[in-house]
Amino acid sequence: MTLPALLFDIDGTFSETEETHREAFNETFRAYGLPWSWDRPMYKKLLEVTGGKERIRHYIDGWNPEGGAGAIPLIPEMHADKTKRYTTLVDAGAAKPRPGILRIIREAKAAGMPVAIATTTSYPNVESLIVATMGADGMKVFDAVAAGDVVKKKKPAPDIYLLALEQLGTAPENAIAFEDSLNGLRSATAAGIRSIMTPSVYTDDQDFAGAFAVMSDLGEPGRPYSHLSGKGAGEAMVTADAVRRWASG
Ligand code: XBP
Ligand code: MG
C-alpha cells in the first residue's frame, strides 16, 4: 500500500476555534446594529449547518429574529466583516493547535506522506490559523488546501474531500481524514475516506459509531489519548506510523 495521505479538517480538529468564530459572529451582529447574540446552546444548534453565510441564513429562516428579513441581502458583507474579525482574533493568538496535530503533520512530512486541508471554513481563516500556529511558511507544508466556497455543497456533502483528493491525485482508499463532527464524518465517508475522529467541545456528544477510529485527541508524549472506539486500542498516540499501520491492516 502506498503511504496514506492525511487530510485534516480545521475547525474543532486542528484547533478548538468555534468559540472564536462565535465571538466574531456576535461582534459583527453588534457592528450591524442587530440585537442578535448567539450563546453556546444556540451556536451548538446552528453548527448543524456548515458555512458561516449558510449559518446566518439558517438562523434567520429558523428563528425569525428582529431585523432578519432586512439582513438577508447583507449576509455576504456581514460574513466578510465576521471573517476580518475572526482572523484578527486568530492573528492575535486566540487559537492553539489541539494535542498531537503539529506533531503528526511533522511526522507525516518526514515520512513522505502527503498532508492536506479539507475544511468548510473560509480560506483566510485557514491561512491565519496556520501562520499563527506553524509560522509564516506554514501553508507551504500542505500539499493541498481545499477550503470554504471553492465547492458549492459544503460538508456533509463529499465535495470538499473529493476536491482535496483530486488536488493530491490520491485515491480515497489511500487517504485518512481527521475530523471532529458528524458533518465531517459524513462528508469524508461519502467521499470514500476512512476517518479518525477527535470530538471537540461542540461535538463531544455526537455518535461516531462505525468511524475508523475515535479517540479524545491525537495524544502527545507522556499524555496518551483516551481510546473510544475503532483502531488504536491499547496505544497512546496517533502517530503517522500508526496511521500507516492501521490503514494497511
Ligand atoms: C467549520 C464550519 C465553518 C466555521 C465558521 O468548518 O462549518 O463554517 O464554523 O467558518 P470545518 P466560516 O469543521 O469543516 O473546518 O464562517 O468561514 O464558514
Ligand atoms: Mg470541524
Side-chain angles (χ1 to χ4, degrees):
M1 172 181 188
T2 54
L3 290 172
L6 308 187
L7 280 62
F8 294 91
D9 165 54
I10 290 290
D11 294 306
T13 299
F14 188 98
S15 172
E16 286 280 16
T17 49
E18 289 298 355
E19 277 301 273
T20 306
H21 281 296
R22 186 171 71 90
E23 184 179 343
F25 278 114
N26 287 335
E27 278 181 16
T28 294
F29 299 151
R30 281 196 295 276
Y32 275 74
L34 291 164
W36 308 348
S37 179
W38 290 347
D39 61 14
R40 286 188 174 87
M42 169 60 80
Y43 197 59
K44 183 173 175 65
K45 284 196 202 85
L46 294 173
L47 275 171
E48 282 161 25
V49 172
T50 60
K53 292 186 287 299
E54 296 83 352
R55 191 167 301 141
I56 295 171
R57 180 64 196 257
H58 174 61
Y59 173 64
I60 292 171
D61 293 349
W63 279 264
N64 190 23
E66 186 189 332
I72 291 174
L74 299 176
I75 289 175
E77 72 171 74
M78 282 170 64
H79 189 253
D81 179 80
K82 174 264 171 181
T83 299
K84 276 207 200 81
R85 294 172 187 278
Y86 175 80
T87 52
T88 301
L89 292 166
V90 170
D91 292 348
K96 302 273 173 272
R98 288 193 65 184
I101 279 283
L102 299 185
R103 172 184 55 69
I104 197 169
I105 289 170
R106 271 197 309 275
E107 291 168 354
K109 294 304 287 185
M113 297 160 80
V115 292
I117 287 172
T119 176
T120 303
T121 196
S122 309
Y123 189 90
N125 297 346
V126 178
E127 216 167 11
S128 278
L129 179 65
I130 297 303
V131 168
T133 56
M134 297 175 68
D137 291 337
M139 290 298 280
K140 292 181 187 149
V141 167
F142 297 94
D143 302 285
V145 177
D149 290 334
V150 287
V151 290
K152 271 209 184 41
K153 288 192 266 105
K154 292 182 171 149
K155 298 176 184 178
D159 303 42
I160 202 75
Y161 275 106
L162 293 173
L163 177 62
L165 289 173
E166 187 191 325
Q167 288 175 351
L168 289 173
T170 300
E173 57 273 15
N174 286 334
I176 296 288
F178 291 77
E179 270 288 352
D180 74 301
S181 71
L182 261 182
N183 278 328
L185 173 60
R186 288 174 179 151
S187 175
T189 305
I193 303 170
R194 291 167 289 180
S195 296
I196 293 178
M197 301 303 295
T198 51
S200 59
V201 288
Y202 276 107
T203 66
D204 59 9
D205 60 344
Q206 293 182 354
D207 178 5
F208 301 126
F212 186 59
V214 188
M215 43 275 288
S216 55
D217 53 61
L218 301 184
E220 287 288 21
R223 189 197 164 286
Y225 57 64
S226 311
H227 179 261
L228 300 170
S229 66
K231 296 283 185 183
E235 301 192 41
M237 288 195 297
V238 183
T239 62
D241 186 58
V243 174
R244 183 193 54 71
R245 241 182 319 113
W246 300 342
S248 56

